Amino acid sequence: MSTLGGVLGQFRNLDKIPIENIRQWLKNKGEVHQLTNFIGNRIIYPQTIAATTEDQEIDLAILREAIRLQPQVVFNKLTNKINLPTEFIGRFPPLYKLVMAIVAVLNLTGVTQIYLKDPRQLVGTVISTRLNLLTGLVAVSVNGQVKKIPTTGMTYLPVHGRFVRLKIDNGREQIVAGGELGILINFLK
Amino acid sequence: MSIPAAQPLANVRTRIRVNQAVHIKRTLAGKGQLLVAKNVEVTPDDIIGKSVVSAGFSSVNLAKRLGVSAGEAIKFLQRPFGKRIYKGELLAFRKSFFNKSIVTSPTDGLIDEYNQETGELKLKLLPKEITLPASVYGIVDSVDLDTSEVMIKTLVTQVYGVFGSGKERGGILKIISNQSSLTYASAVNAQSRQHILVVGSLIYGEALRKAVIIGAQGIIAGGLNASDYQSMATSLDPFYRVGTDIGVSIMATEGFGPIPIGDDIFRLIRTYNDKFVFLNGNLRQLLLPSTSSASILPLRKVSLPITRKPAYAPEEKVRAIKVGDCVRVIWPPFMGIQGKVTSIDQTATRLASGIATILVTVANPRRKIKVSYPNLEIIS
């Protein structure tokens, strides 16, 4: 029987990620040698889990940069779909934060559906779009209900319907999938 | 919270294996003579080979010491080339009107050659005779005159760490700090030469480099800084590890960063202080030869094939954690602590990190803690 791997054990070359790439995501930067020791222990004990919020923040930063190096683990470029292994969700709850962390490092365009593996299940959609707006807020219509959201970064909409009517600003209305996750609107720079 | 369907699984790591029959390789330094034959039984103090090695060169700048030009200095040499000279004996002498200059030999050696341009006289240090002791109780299984190697079948206790670097080296084990100390360069000194040092929870990079310069044979620590290890091993990922050697064999027993050497290993190696042991960093393996002459008896019945295939560390297995298992904690907090499983929760607990997991109660004489099961390893 093979040894236990864990989520981060699915990625190779974690020790080759520049340490500053990981530190950029952390609120508390800490000492570089402590962070490299942390990463070293994650590599030799990939099955372990974070007990504290600080450790989880570091793990999420490592996951982001690992996906940046190996996007194919979660993203199919041909079909423009994100496929999340089930163990990712238990390891990095809640789901919307995990997806936001992943989307931050993938160069997504247009509409990207998000699936869970085992069993295969559509859980939501990422809309990546660019706006030329001077104001900080934009109107988004979700099933006819209008709300204002910031025009930078990502906004998460917990919309769980299977078919959701979505319209951003003065764009055309489109039908996208909600689900367990919902909809993530990703404004590109 | 509902009960997860799967049992709490953990890796089973072999840390100690007692009474293993293995081959120890003893190699003669330099050209010499092997004094044993196959099937001979040996004890640690038996000399199994002798060789003569040159210790190198020394030099004296005759011209400068005599106060003459390089071309002239050779005339004042008092011994012919190729002759032996001992430390303190007269090497060169020059008497002038005002004073006399005396040059004595700085060391024992042979007068080798003189450089007419620089005025340097080279002394070849006298060759030294070196003996090779068996260092173990065992039975000679092969003698290779071409490579000057003797393979001795012996009974050992094998100790495995989590990572390391360096080829197999033998030396006297020396515990220079306690289980949880940090080791600085000042702790490594001339007495460390030829020894395998046990240094506590962490050895700093500067101390590592000093150990190499001084000629220590090996270092055993609870942890190493990842940056120091990466500079010697090229990759932290075991998947990409290849054998490396920086001049000293190193083994970490617990992980990266300062982590006390585990109780199981420290308790055992304490009994081997000042005894001859073998450390193979690339296999993360420490071999503790039996100190009893009776260990030869079972070896007489054991046939061990001699193989050129590289040895490997035992593979880890996976199974469900059970009450009564000996475990070690492999993630903070409490990383490195060992104990017995006294209970396993039936329902999951959500940790501060947000992850829901089953907690396991681990107890040892000093404390009782609850740890999430993925952060445990079963020790065998």
Side-chain angles (χ1 to χ4, degrees), chain B residues 118-367:
Chain B
T118 62
E120 291 274 346
L121 179 72
K122 195 157 81 170
L123 300 169
K124 192 173 179 181
L125 300 179
L126 289 178
K128 283 195 283 197
E129 188 180 79
I130 293 179
T131 55
L132 179 69
S135 303
V136 297
Y137 288 102
I139 301 173
V140 175
D141 251 2
S142 91
V143 178
D144 190 330
L145 297 174
D146 294 330
T147 56
S148 301
E149 283 174 0
V150 176
M151 296 282 253
I152 305 174
K153 183 172 56 182
T154 185
L155 214 59
V156 302
T157 296
Q158 293 168 321
V159 177
Y160 289 96
V162 294
F163 59 84
S165 167
K167 60 182 187 182
E168 185 175 278
R169 289 182 168 86
I172 303 287
L173 189 81
K174 195 77 191 165
I175 299 175
I176 63 170
S177 53
N178 67 37
Q179 207 171 343
S180 48
S181 301
L182 304 174
T183 300
Y184 299 88
S186 53
V188 181
N189 51 41
Q191 276 77 51
S192 309
R193 186 175 152 68
Q194 296 295 310
H195 284 73
I196 290 178
L197 309 174
V198 180
V199 299
S201 66
L202 181 91
I203 180 166
Y204 286 101
E206 206 187 316
L208 268 174
R209 285 184 283 280
K210 191 175 175 188
V212 175
I213 293 167
I214 278 177
Q217 290 287 84
I219 291 163
I220 299 166
L224 292 175
N225 278 327
S227 52
D228 291 331
Y229 182 65
Q230 194 158 19
S231 65
M232 68 180 81
T234 69
S235 176
L236 302 181
D237 192 338
F239 188 78
Y240 292 120
R241 279 297 331 278
V242 294
T244 55
D245 191 276
I246 58 159
V248 68
S249 295
I250 297 163
M251 181 174 87
T253 63
E254 310 303 322
F256 291 106
I259 310 168
I261 298 177
D263 287 339
D264 56 344
I265 290 177
F266 195 73
R267 213 171 16 240
L268 176 61
I269 60 179
R270 233 183 5 207
T271 65
Y272 276 82
N273 198 25
D274 291 324
K275 295 194 170 64
F276 202 91
V277 301
F278 298 87
L279 179 63
N280 187 323
N282 288 325
L283 290 181
R284 47 185 176 86
Q285 177 193 77
L286 173 67
L287 296 180
L288 307 173
S290 171
T291 53
S292 162
S293 56
S295 64
I296 291 187
L297 298 173
L299 289 173
R300 289 174 187 159
K301 299 173 197 158
V302 167
S303 170
L304 211 56
I306 293 176
T307 172
R308 289 278 169 212
K309 273 194 248 175
Y312 52 87
E315 280 183 10
E316 292 159 27
K317 300 189 179 76
V318 176
R319 68 164 171 82
I321 298 175
K322 297 193 302 279
V323 172
D325 278 339
C326 287
V327 294
R328 58 185 274 264
V329 183
I330 53 174
W331 199 259
F334 313 121
M335 188 168 184
I337 284 177
Q338 296 178 2
K340 261 206 174 112
V341 174
T342 57
S343 70
I344 302 171
D345 286 3
Q346 292 301 299
T347 54
T349 300
R350 195 169 292 282
L351 304 176
S353 59
I355 302 170
T357 181
I358 295 289
L359 295 183
V360 175
T361 305
V362 177
N364 67 28
R366 288 187 292 276
R367 65 179 89 191

